[in-house]
Amino acid sequence: MPHCHTHIEKLRQRGYRITPQREIIIKAIAHSTSHLTAEDLLELIRTSSEAINIATVYRTLEMLVEEGLIIRSDLGQGRAVYAPHQHGPHLHLVCRQCGEVFDADHTMACSLREQIWEQHHFEADFSHTTVFGLCALCQKKEE
Amino acid sequence: MPHCHTHIEKLRQRGYRITPQREIIIKAIAHSTSHLTAEDLLELIRTSSEAINIATVYRTLEMLVEEGLIIRSDLGQGRAVYAPHQHGPHLHLVCRQCGEVFDADHTMACSLREQIWEQHHFEADFSHTTVFGLCALCQKKEE
DNA sequence: CTCGCTATTGCGAAAATCCGCAATAAGGAG
DNA sequence: CTCCTTATTGCGGATTTTCGCAATAGCGAG
Ligand SMILES: [Mn+2]
Ligand SMILES: [Mn+2]
Ligand SMILES: [Zn+2]
Ligand SMILES: [Zn+2]
């Protein structure tokens, strides 16, 4: 993946040590095309190379989120999910009934972002906001 | 609290059995003026009456959320927080830097809600949406 | 290339949440 | 009021996530 090297270089420049564990985790996430839980990731890693301790996986994910290299989302399933940054910004519409997740254009939120800025001087980031509600299908099922 | 009886009646009408545990939990939440974690709630209960098993607390909270009598929010702290419904609808602006939570008028999101409806036929509920970002103070600290 | 500082890892245990199951008890029927 | 059905509880244990601490190993200095 093209982004692995960029990520690793960024981390090195920010003073992080590049360990084999970190390289493996970064590569695994960069390869993924969808959202992964920490456990998914560990399983993915186990097949390709020797096991990495689960605590290390959690610590590395936390660090990568904080450094802005990956995205963490809460989709209401109890477990957090992680995605590579090139997954791209979008709103997550999560149906409370069926749990389905729909992606939506995050630029729809830009006027709301401006209003929040004007009223609270809060710099809101809607690039991966989760919005709960009811999907079209489940609305029909409710008559 | 005025809402306790209403809640208990609603549950009874929906076929739930009213146990002492459920009454205590409902009263404790109705009394609270802010967000509580499950553990906060258990501690609150322990002082006023005999202990209730923590599993029962979690199960009851889950049920009350599903029945629409209380609100569950993820404020990015790992633990979910619960609030009585009369806490009222509002957006939660959560600062990624300092963790502070600011309340904002949820009706600001109504045009976004309409756009989402037009494009996805998804009935979005912004009454307790969590929006991450950077608060005014932390922006200044970043120069 | 070698050495030393200290960031990072693995391990074990704690904390938070959820689950299965047997015992209990709410509430409707008689 | 008593009995019966079955929803609910408490308990023990599983699962997910976090944490402290000693052992390990990056990587910059020499
Ligand atoms: Mn996504
Ligand atoms: Mn609130
Ligand atoms: Zn749905
Ligand atoms: Zn802040």
Side-chain angles (χ1 to χ4, degrees):
Chain A
M1 281 298 111
H3 288 82
C4 299
H5 274 248
T6 321
H7 286 169
I8 288 170
E9 266 326 297
K10 270 187 190 162
L11 290 180
R12 204 189 295 276
Q13 275 158 29
R14 294 178 200 176
Y16 290 95
R17 293 183 182 175
I18 306 309
T19 65
Q21 290 91 334
R22 284 180 173 169
E23 288 199 48
I24 289 168
I25 291 169
I26 288 169
K27 275 175 192 155
I29 288 221
H31 282 198
S32 104
T33 58
S34 67
H35 301 170
L36 296 172
T37 67
E39 205 68 39
D40 290 339
L41 194 62
L42 185 65
E43 207 160 318
L44 232 154
I45 286 167
R46 259 203 258 270
T47 63
S48 70
S49 62
E50 61 202 288
I52 297 175
N53 191 277
I54 184 70
T56 302
V57 173
Y58 278 108
R59 277 186 292 229
T60 304
L61 287 172
E62 168 103 22
M63 183 269 283
L64 293 172
V65 168
E66 232 142 59
E67 291 302 320
L69 303 184
I70 64 172
I71 302 300
R72 186 208 328 247
S73 302
D74 166 43
L75 303 180
Q77 259 73 77
R79 299 136 139 256
V81 295
Y82 300 84
H85 224 148
Q86 73 262 25
H87 182 62
H90 51 261
L91 303 178
H92 285 134
L93 309 179
V94 179
C95 179
R96 286 203 174 99
Q97 199 77 58
C98 66
E100 195 74 43
V101 180
F102 306 89
D103 291 355
D105 178 12
H106 74 118
T107 61
M108 283 192 290
C110 80
S111 114
L112 173 55
R113 214 183 66 236
E114 279 161 23
Q115 282 181 75
I116 289 175
W117 169 257
E118 278 158 26
Q119 295 193 19
H120 300 273
H121 290 274
F122 184 95
E123 205 172 77
D125 171 16
F126 281 92
S127 61
H128 294 272
T129 297
T130 296
V131 179
F132 291 97
L134 212 57
C135 78
L137 219 71
C138 288
Q139 283 168 58
K140 270 187 199 131
K141 280 182 197 151
E142 297 225 328
E143 258 89 340
Chain B
M1 281 297 110
H3 287 81
C4 298
H5 273 248
T6 320
H7 286 169
I8 287 170
E9 266 326 297
K10 270 187 192 164
L11 291 179
R12 203 189 296 275
Q13 273 157 29
R14 294 177 199 177
Y16 290 95
R17 292 183 183 174
I18 306 308
T19 65
Q21 291 91 336
R22 283 181 174 166
E23 286 200 48
I24 290 168
I25 291 169
I26 288 169
K27 275 175 193 153
I29 287 218
H31 282 198
S32 104
T33 59
S34 67
H35 301 169
L36 297 172
T37 67
E39 206 67 40
D40 291 340
L41 194 62
L42 185 64
E43 208 159 319
L44 232 153
I45 287 168
R46 260 202 258 269
T47 63
S48 70
S49 62
E50 60 203 289
I52 296 176
N53 192 276
I54 183 71
T56 301
V57 172
Y58 278 109
R59 277 187 292 227
T60 304
L61 287 172
E62 168 103 21
M63 183 269 283
L64 293 172
V65 168
E66 232 141 60
E67 293 301 320
L69 303 184
I70 64 172
I71 302 297
R72 184 206 332 246
S73 302
D74 167 43
L75 302 180
Q77 260 73 77
R79 300 135 141 256
V81 295
Y82 299 84
H85 224 148
Q86 72 263 25
H87 183 62
H90 51 260
L91 303 178
H92 285 135
L93 310 179
V94 180
C95 179
R96 286 203 174 99
Q97 200 76 57
C98 67
E100 194 75 42
V101 179
F102 306 88
D103 289 356
D105 178 12
H106 75 117
T107 60
M108 285 192 289
C110 79
S111 114
L112 173 56
R113 213 183 68 234
E114 279 161 22
Q115 281 181 74
I116 289 175
W117 169 257
E118 278 158 25
Q119 294 193 18
H120 300 272
H121 290 275
F122 184 96
E123 205 173 78
D125 171 16
F126 281 93
S127 61
H128 294 272
T129 298
T130 296
V131 179
F132 292 97
L134 213 55
C135 78
L137 219 72
C138 287
Q139 283 168 56
K140 270 188 198 128
K141 280 182 196 152
E142 297 223 330
E143 258 90 339

